[in-house]
């Protein structure tokens, strides 16, 4: 009896694990099919699935890479899909939200930068790279129902001197409250953002040029 009970328990738990994995596999397949239709020639480099608009249905975001046959580097973009009618429908195409080979010496020269997660309705994209100064830049995006768009609601960037001569420099920005803090070593300062420094729309977001420059200017105004 004990042997049969153990076998039955193992079968039950195996069934639970398989059942739990089915939605993720279905979402993966759905994303692959949608990308093939919307972005011919692109491959999924990074992806995340989860509910982004609060309707309890799986949505998806992906960093897509297109290998160039004429250039050394390819091109990349971020795509966000929302569930509609049992399938993924393209909602946002952000052609400049990632970039290939732009992460510096510590990042692959032929690959886009960025990793993704979806948690509690928030899409988090983390960019990493640098050379002597390593950076980790985490951006949080949330769906805005009123305007049917994804807006930048928060960002935390940490810059680390890899040889240890300079203290860590951490800037944390809350675009909802329009407040920010910057910490350099043990020094810390809180600041208020100007109205023009509000969060960006993902569809028009330019990470490599416009945003990096804006972030440098923003950090400079909050020197501890």
């Amino acid at each position: 009896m004990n042997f049969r009970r153990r076998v039955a328990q193992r079968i039950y738990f195996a069934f639970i694990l398989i059942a739990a994995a089915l939605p993720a596999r279905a979402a993966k397949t759905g994303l692959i099919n949608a990308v093939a239709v919307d972005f011919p020639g692109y491959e999924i480099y990074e992806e995340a699935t989860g509910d982004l608009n609060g309707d309890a249905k799986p949505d998806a975001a992906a960093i897509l890479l297109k290998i160039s046959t004429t250039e050394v580097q390819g091109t990349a973009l971020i795509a966000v899909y929302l569930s509609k009618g049992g399938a993924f429908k393209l909602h946002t195409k952000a052609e400049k939200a990632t970039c290939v080979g732009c992460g510096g010496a510590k990042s692959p020269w032929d690959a886009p930068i960025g990793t993704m997660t979806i948690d509690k309705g928030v899409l988090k994209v983390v960019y990493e790279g640098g050379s002597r100064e390593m950076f980790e830049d985490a951006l949080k995006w949330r769906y805005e129902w009123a305007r049917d768009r994804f807006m930048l609601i928060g960002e935390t960037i940490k810059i680390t001197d890899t040889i240890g001569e300079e203290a860590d420099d951490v800037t944390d920005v809350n675009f909802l409250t329009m407040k920010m803090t910057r910490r350099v070593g043990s020094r810390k300062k809180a600041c208020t953002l100007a109205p023009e420094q509000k969060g960006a729309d993902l569809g028009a977001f330019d990470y490599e040029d416009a945003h990096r420059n804006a972030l440098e200017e923003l950090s400079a105004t909050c020197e501890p």
Side-chain angles (χ1 to χ4, degrees):
M1 180 63 69
N2 289 338
F3 174 75
R4 292 180 178 178
R5 183 177 299 172
R6 287 197 298 270
V7 171
Q9 288 176 340
R10 289 176 180 176
I11 294 174
Y12 171 77
F13 286 121
F15 175 79
I16 293 297
L17 291 174
I18 293 171
L22 288 177
R25 291 181 180 177
K28 171 73 172 180
T29 301
L31 180 60
I32 291 173
N33 294 338
V35 168
V37 172
D38 296 325
F39 300 98
Y42 281 81
E43 62 183 42
I44 299 173
Y45 181 80
E46 175 77 15
E47 66 186 275
T49 56
D51 183 9
L52 283 169
N53 59 355
D55 63 358
K57 298 177 182 178
D59 305 307
I63 295 175
L64 306 181
L65 174 64
K66 185 175 185 179
I67 304 299
S68 174
T69 57
T70 59
E71 300 178 6
V72 175
Q73 294 178 325
T75 57
L77 57 84
I78 287 179
V80 179
Y81 285 86
L82 299 182
S83 291
K84 187 176 182 181
F88 284 136
K89 300 297 182 182
L90 179 64
H91 181 276
T92 301
K93 179 174 72 172
E95 295 181 296
K96 295 186 177 181
T98 184
C99 42
V100 177
C102 59
K106 301 292 186 181
S107 181
W109 66 271
D110 59 347
I113 60 172
T115 58
M116 293 179 152
T117 56
I118 295 175
D119 184 40
K120 298 178 180 178
V122 174
L123 169 62
K124 184 178 181 181
V125 183
V126 180
Y127 305 91
E128 294 180 309
S131 52
R132 170 181 165 174
E133 289 188 335
M134 292 285 295
F135 70 86
E136 180 183 273
D137 193 3
L139 284 72
K140 295 181 179 180
W141 302 89
R142 190 166 68 188
Y143 182 67
E144 186 180 80
W145 274 95
R147 297 190 178 182
D148 188 30
R149 62 181 183 176
F150 284 87
M151 291 297 295
L152 182 62
I153 62 170
E155 179 172 11
T156 302
I157 181 168
K158 179 180 180 181
I159 299 174
T160 303
D161 182 2
T162 58
I163 64 175
E165 292 184 355
E166 302 290 339
D168 286 352
D169 188 339
V170 181
T171 299
D172 185 72
V173 186
N174 187 326
F175 291 103
L176 296 177
T177 62
M178 297 295 284
K179 301 289 185 182
M180 67 175 289
T181 58
R182 185 179 176 195
R183 187 178 73 252
V184 181
S186 60
R187 307 190 310 275
K188 184 178 180 180
K189 185 176 181 180
C191 303
T192 299
L193 276 61
E196 63 271 16
Q197 294 170 326
K198 62 183 179 180
D201 181 335
L202 178 57
F205 186 65
D206 181 349
Y207 180 76
E208 183 179 10
D209 295 321
H211 185 70
R212 280 183 172 179
N213 293 335
L215 186 60
E216 288 181 6
E217 295 175 2
L218 186 61
S219 295
T221 64
C222 197
E223 187 75 35

